[in-house]
Coordinates of all heavy atoms in Angstrom, one line a residue:
N1 N -5.2 2.3 0.0 CA -5.0 2.3 1.5 C -6.3 2.8 2.1 O -6.6 2.2 3.2 CB -3.9 3.2 1.9 CG -2.5 2.7 1.5 OD1 -2.5 1.5 1.1 ND2 -1.5 3.6 1.4
L2 N -7.1 3.7 1.5 CA -8.3 4.1 2.2 C -9.3 3.0 2.2 O -10.0 2.8 3.1 CB -8.9 5.3 1.4 CG -8.2 6.6 1.6 CD1 -8.7 7.7 0.6 CD2 -8.4 7.1 3.0
V3 N -9.3 2.3 1.1 CA -10.3 1.1 1.0 C -9.9 0.1 2.1 O -10.8 -0.5 2.8 CB -10.4 0.5 -0.4 CG1 -11.2 -0.8 -0.4 CG2 -11.1 1.6 -1.3
V4 N -8.7 -0.2 2.1 CA -8.2 -1.3 3.1 C -8.5 -0.8 4.5 O -9.0 -1.6 5.3 CB -6.7 -1.6 2.9 CG1 -6.2 -2.5 4.0 CG2 -6.5 -2.3 1.6
V5 N -8.2 0.4 4.8 CA -8.4 0.9 6.2 C -9.9 0.8 6.6 O -10.3 0.4 7.6 CB -7.9 2.3 6.4 CG1 -8.4 3.0 7.7 CG2 -6.4 2.3 6.4
F6 N -10.8 1.3 5.6 CA -12.1 1.3 6.0 C -12.8 -0.1 6.0 O -13.8 -0.4 6.7 CB -12.9 2.3 5.2 CG -12.7 3.7 5.8 CD1 -11.7 4.5 5.3 CD2 -13.5 4.1 6.7 CE1 -11.5 5.8 5.8 CE2 -13.3 5.4 7.3 CZ -12.3 6.2 6.8
L7 N -12.3 -1.0 5.1 CA -12.7 -2.3 5.2 C -12.3 -3.0 6.5 O -13.2 -3.7 7.1 CB -12.1 -3.2 4.1 CG -12.8 -3.0 2.7 CD1 -12.0 -3.8 1.7 CD2 -14.2 -3.6 2.8
L8 N -11.1 -2.7 7.0 CA -10.8 -3.2 8.3 C -11.5 -2.5 9.5 O -11.9 -3.2 10.4 CB -9.2 -2.9 8.5 CG -8.3 -3.7 7.7 CD1 -6.8 -3.3 7.9 CD2 -8.4 -5.2 8.0
C9 N -11.9 -1.3 9.3 CA -12.9 -0.7 10.3 C -14.2 -1.4 10.3 O -14.7 -1.6 11.4 CB -13.0 0.8 9.9 SG -11.7 1.8 10.3
G10 N -14.7 -1.8 9.1 CA -15.9 -2.5 9.1 C -15.8 -3.9 9.8 O -16.7 -4.2 10.5
L11 N -14.7 -4.6 9.4 CA -14.5 -5.9 10.1 C -14.3 -5.7 11.6 O -14.7 -6.6 12.4 CB -13.3 -6.6 9.4 CG -13.5 -7.2 8.1 CD1 -12.3 -7.6 7.4 CD2 -14.5 -8.2 8.1
W12 N -13.7 -4.6 12.0 CA -13.5 -4.5 13.5 C -14.8 -4.4 14.2 O -14.9 -4.8 15.3 CB -12.7 -3.1 13.7 CG -12.4 -2.9 15.1 CD1 -11.5 -3.4 15.8 CD2 -13.1 -1.9 16.0 NE1 -11.5 -2.9 17.2 CE2 -12.6 -2.0 17.2 CE3 -14.2 -1.1 15.7 CZ2 -13.1 -1.2 18.3 CZ3 -14.7 -0.3 16.8 CH2 -14.1 -0.5 18.1
H13 N -15.8 -3.9 13.6 CA -17.1 -3.8 14.2 C -17.9 -5.1 14.2 O -18.8 -5.3 15.0 CB -18.1 -2.8 13.4 CG -17.7 -1.4 13.8 ND1 -16.8 -0.6 13.0 CD2 -18.1 -0.6 14.8 CE1 -16.7 0.6 13.6 NE2 -17.5 0.6 14.6
G14 N -17.5 -6.1 13.4 CA -18.1 -7.5 13.5 C -17.8 -8.2 12.2 O -17.7 -7.6 11.1
P15 N -18.0 -9.5 12.3 CA -17.9 -10.4 11.1 C -19.2 -10.6 10.4 O -19.8 -11.6 10.4 CB -17.4 -11.7 11.7 CG -18.0 -11.7 13.0 CD -18.0 -10.3 13.6
S16 N -19.7 -9.5 9.8 CA -20.9 -9.5 9.1 C -20.8 -8.7 7.8 O -20.1 -7.7 7.9 CB -21.9 -8.9 10.0 OG -23.2 -8.8 9.4
W17 N -21.5 -9.1 6.8 CA -21.4 -8.3 5.5 C -21.8 -6.9 5.6 O -21.3 -6.0 5.0 CB -22.2 -9.0 4.5 CG -21.4 -10.3 3.9 CD1 -21.8 -11.6 4.1 CD2 -20.3 -10.2 3.2 NE1 -20.9 -12.4 3.5 CE2 -19.9 -11.6 2.9 CE3 -19.5 -9.3 2.6 CZ2 -18.8 -12.0 2.2 CZ3 -18.2 -9.6 1.9 CH2 -18.1 -10.9 1.7
N18 N -22.8 -6.7 6.5 CA -23.3 -5.2 6.5 C -22.1 -4.3 7.2 O -22.0 -3.2 6.7 CB -24.6 -5.1 7.5 CG -24.3 -5.7 8.8 OD1 -23.7 -6.7 9.1 ND2 -25.1 -5.0 9.8
F19 N -21.2 -4.8 8.0 CA -20.2 -4.0 8.4 C -19.0 -3.8 7.4 O -18.4 -2.9 7.2 CB -19.5 -4.6 9.7 CG -20.5 -4.7 10.9 CD1 -20.8 -5.8 11.6 CD2 -21.1 -3.5 11.3 CE1 -21.5 -6.0 12.6 CE2 -22.0 -3.6 12.3 CZ -22.3 -4.8 13.0
V20 N -18.9 -4.9 6.6 CA -17.9 -4.8 5.5 C -18.4 -3.8 4.4 O -17.6 -3.0 4.0 CB -17.6 -6.2 4.8 CG1 -16.9 -6.1 3.6 CG2 -17.0 -7.2 5.8
V21 N -19.7 -3.8 4.1 CA -20.2 -2.9 3.1 C -20.2 -1.5 3.7 O -19.9 -0.6 2.9 CB -21.6 -3.3 2.7 CG1 -22.4 -2.3 1.9 CG2 -21.6 -4.6 1.9
W22 N -20.4 -1.4 5.0 CA -20.4 0.0 5.6 C -19.0 0.5 5.5 O -18.9 1.7 5.1 CB -20.9 -0.2 7.0 CG -20.6 1.1 8.0 CD1 -21.5 2.2 8.0 CD2 -19.6 1.3 8.7 NE1 -21.0 3.1 8.8 CE2 -19.8 2.6 9.3 CE3 -18.4 0.6 9.2 CZ2 -18.9 3.2 10.3 CZ3 -17.6 1.2 10.1 CH2 -17.8 2.6 10.5
G23 N -18.0 -0.2 5.8 CA -16.6 0.3 5.7 C -16.3 0.5 4.3 O -15.6 1.5 3.9
L24 N -16.6 -0.3 3.3 CA -16.4 -0.1 1.9 C -17.0 1.2 1.4 O -16.4 1.9 0.7 CB -16.9 -1.3 1.1 CG -16.6 -1.3 -0.4 CD1 -15.1 -1.3 -0.7 CD2 -17.3 -2.5 -1.1

């Protein structure tokens, strides 16, 4: 759940890999 929530937080900031990695 923690990983999913923070991946979604990253995606919320924008559709870019840097945001996904930041959330991860």
Side-chain angles (χ1 to χ4, degrees):
N1 291 347
L2 285 170
V3 169
V4 168
V5 165
F6 280 93
L7 277 173
L8 291 174
C9 286
L11 285 173
W12 180 78
H13 283 92
S16 175
W17 282 110
N18 55 326
F19 298 125
V20 172
V21 169
W22 173 82
L24 183 63

